Amino acid sequence: MSEPGKLDLPPPPPSPDPDRDPSPDCSPAAACTEPESAITRVFHLLGKRWTGLILAALMSGPGHFAELRRAVPGISERMLSDRLTELAAFGLVSRVVQEGPPLRVSYSLTDSGHALRPAMVELTRWADSHLTGTENRCPEAFRE
């Protein structure tokens, strides 16, 4: 278990073989360096397809599975279930079962999940400024 406010993220993938030839982008003049462990762990989790969109959908408040499925077009039920389970395991999303009938499950961001909001807002601003063809495509929850 990690300390409060810290996520137990998986370890980063192994470093490349130091005896291997460097890639063409890593010339001595380019001073290519390996990313820090923390950023590698962050992108190992948040860089997975759909994860950011699920978090974005939950930024505006709790949602039921069917609502999240509609909020993230193109995601399968299986993938949504897998991603929600993973986000819950890392303490970013909480899952609350509401007794029925009918039985309903609600998902919401934890404090750790909400702590991602400033980073998500900045990523949205960056995308608006630097990625062409993405105007008006970011979730309203990230507009400030």
Side-chain angles (χ1 to χ4, degrees):
M1 191 76 190
S2 63
E3 58 187 90
K6 297 282 186 172
L7 297 177
D8 255 340
L9 295 176
S15 297
D17 181 0
D19 296 328
R20 199 184 96 218
D21 288 339
S23 69
D25 295 338
C26 291
S27 66
C32 214
T33 60
E34 183 176 333
E36 291 188 33
S37 174
I39 197 72
T40 301
R41 289 180 292 149
V42 165
F43 279 103
H44 181 75
L45 174 64
L46 300 182
K48 290 182 178 177
R49 187 172 186 191
W50 309 114
T51 301
L53 294 176
I54 294 167
L55 291 170
L58 290 170
M59 285 286 170
S60 58
H64 297 286
F65 189 89
E67 294 167 337
L68 291 170
R69 177 86 160 64
R70 285 189 299 271
V72 183
I75 193 169
S76 69
E77 288 185 8
R78 171 71 189 258
M79 184 58 67
L80 178 57
S81 178
D82 288 351
R83 288 294 183 261
L84 287 168
T85 299
E86 183 176 41
L87 289 168
F90 284 112
L92 297 174
V93 169
S94 66
R95 180 181 186 270
V96 177
V97 177
Q98 300 161 342
E99 296 302 326
L103 184 87
R104 293 194 67 175
V105 179
S106 176
Y107 297 90
S108 61
L109 294 177
T110 62
D111 289 342
S112 292
H114 280 291
L116 286 168
R117 183 180 179 79
M120 299 286 273
V121 168
E122 286 306 313
L123 285 170
T124 300
R125 286 185 183 144
W126 178 87
D128 285 344
S129 297
H130 300 284
L131 298 179
T132 59
T134 60
E135 300 82 32
N136 299 321
R137 294 180 79 186
C138 86
E140 271 305 308
F142 298 140
R143 298 274 177 207
E144 289 190 344

